[in-house]
Amino acid sequence: MMPIRYLTIHCAATIEGRDHKAAEVTRWDVARFGQPSYHWVVELDGTAVRTLADATRGAHVGGHNTGNIGICYVGGLGRDAKPKDTRNALQRKSLREIVEAYQRKYPGLIVRGHRDWSPDLDRDGKIEPHEWVKACPCFDVATEL
């Protein structure tokens, strides 16, 4: 898993306001991928729950999990089940604190949203223009975190 070069933000693709817990998100991932996907899950009350050790590879970005910390917030869908930034103030604060802690721990860390990973990355990992395949995490990580 080392060295850590990336941190990727995700949403759980759950309906706005539904209080899913990290253990539930992890159960979904184990059922689908055979293991927890994320290193952290941020619940609606802002609680950040560690679900994988940093040295353990997650299952959150196909083909790009090695050296990549996955952080997921509960939410990401509006009440109409369409992609929406549903983060509340507590989740925003927790996400910011997690990102800042990792940036201190791993200088030069590249922070992205799930949607920023694409087959259109060039050899230096820079994003080439393309249509987003995913909406996750439903906000622009580059401008906000």
Side-chain angles (χ1 to χ4, degrees), residues 8-115:
T8 302
I9 306 293
H10 301 263
C11 66
T14 56
I15 301 293
E16 181 175 18
R18 291 194 185 161
D19 193 18
H20 298 282
K21 298 298 182 188
E24 185 177 14
V25 172
T26 299
R27 279 193 306 274
W28 297 336
D29 294 338
V30 169
R32 186 169 179 198
F33 304 112
Q35 72 166 82
S37 291
Y38 311 108
H39 294 84
W40 294 89
V41 175
V42 178
E43 298 176 341
L44 287 183
D45 67 358
T47 300
V49 178
R50 179 176 281 283
T51 52
L52 283 175
D54 288 355
T56 303
R57 187 173 63 182
H60 58 101
V61 179
H64 299 284
N65 289 303
T66 300
N68 192 345
I69 299 295
I71 313 295
C72 177
Y73 75 91
V74 172
L77 297 177
R79 297 191 191 282
D80 60 0
K82 292 183 179 173
K84 178 182 177 186
D85 180 4
T86 63
R87 294 170 302 144
N88 61 41
L90 295 170
Q91 288 175 305
R92 288 174 192 269
K93 181 177 185 284
S94 287
L95 284 169
R96 187 169 293 109
E97 288 171 355
I98 293 168
V99 169
E100 288 172 355
Y102 274 101
Q103 287 173 321
R104 284 190 300 274
K105 187 174 182 178
Y106 302 107
L109 184 73
I110 298 167
V111 180
R112 291 187 170 149
H114 188 194
R115 71 183 191 180

